[in-house]
Amino acid sequence: MKNCLFCKIIKGEIPSTKVYEDENIFAFLDINPNNIGHTLVIPKKHSRNILDIEERDLKNVIMGVQKISQAIKKAVSADGINVMNNNEPVAGQVIFHTHFHIIPRFESDGYKHWKGKTKYAEGEAEQVAEKIRKEI
Ligand code: AMP
Ligand code: ZN
């Protein structure tokens, strides 16, 4: 895809610090890491995000996410790993080429988890679950 930053990184037109590559996926260090070792895993075939990626590409990416998460955990002696994927601007997506963040976590890193602040009204959970079930 023309003018896609991550497509350019895959082609080597823009430099990156590569950690893994195979015929389907590419992984490189995030330029603005949450923690040392923060890595992005992307499919080589362009898609916008998880809402339009083809099943085959998603399977390859997620298997890569597991393999690379295991490697990062050992490499930086992380206590845990967050895997994150942002879809569309409201959800924090800035680069519109599907990517998964692998963020190594340390007991001492000070990041806090989001707290859920939404509550279901009486009967609402069942209604919304039914709406979702109908769309699957
Ligand atoms: P998102 O907000 O989920 O779209 O994440 C985009 C990520 O891409 C951010 O964490 C950026 O720091 C990262 N990023 C942007 N440009 C580059 C680049 N040239 N090399 C590596 N990571 C980048
Ligand atoms: Zn792209």
Side-chain angles (χ1 to χ4, degrees):
M1 159 84 84
K2 239 177 137 193
N3 290 330
C4 170
L5 177 73
F6 286 178
C7 283
K8 288 181 181 167
I9 284 179
I10 292 164
K11 286 187 251 164
E13 293 171 7
I14 288 179
S16 70
T17 309
K18 181 170 85 173
V19 300
Y20 179 79
E21 179 176 14
D22 65 23
E23 59 176 326
N24 300 305
I25 66 170
F26 192 93
F28 55 105
L29 295 183
D30 195 297
I31 205 167
N32 188 20
N34 286 98
N35 275 328
I36 295 300
H38 180 165
T39 295
L40 302 175
V41 186
I42 65 178
K44 284 194 168 172
K45 184 171 173 214
H46 181 89
S47 53
R48 179 178 170 88
N49 58 36
I50 202 166
L51 301 170
D52 73 341
I53 189 172
E54 285 176 17
E55 185 176 325
R56 179 181 164 278
D57 294 325
L58 181 57
K59 283 181 179 164
N60 286 325
V61 169
I62 204 69
M63 294 315 293
V65 165
Q66 184 190 37
K67 189 204 308 244
I68 298 160
S69 294
Q70 290 164 340
I72 291 172
K73 186 167 183 296
K74 282 191 202 156
V76 301
S77 302
D79 301 309
I81 296 280
N82 280 124
V83 172
M84 196 172 75
N85 162 245
N86 300 324
N87 301 282
E88 301 301 329
V90 71
Q93 186 176 11
V94 174
I95 307 289
F96 296 96
H97 180 127
T98 306
H99 55 280
F100 283 78
H101 297 253
I102 303 175
I103 304 173
R105 295 296 308 274
F106 302 92
E107 302 285 355
S108 59
D109 66 25
Y111 290 118
K112 298 270 180 264
H113 283 286
W114 298 346
K115 282 215 169 87
K117 56 178 185 175
T118 304
K119 297 263 180 280
Y120 288 113
E122 180 75 28
E124 191 184 6
E126 185 47 44
Q127 279 172 16
V128 79
E130 180 56 16
K131 275 194 196 171
I132 296 168
R133 288 192 290 261
K134 280 185 178 155
E135 296 291 345
I136 293 173

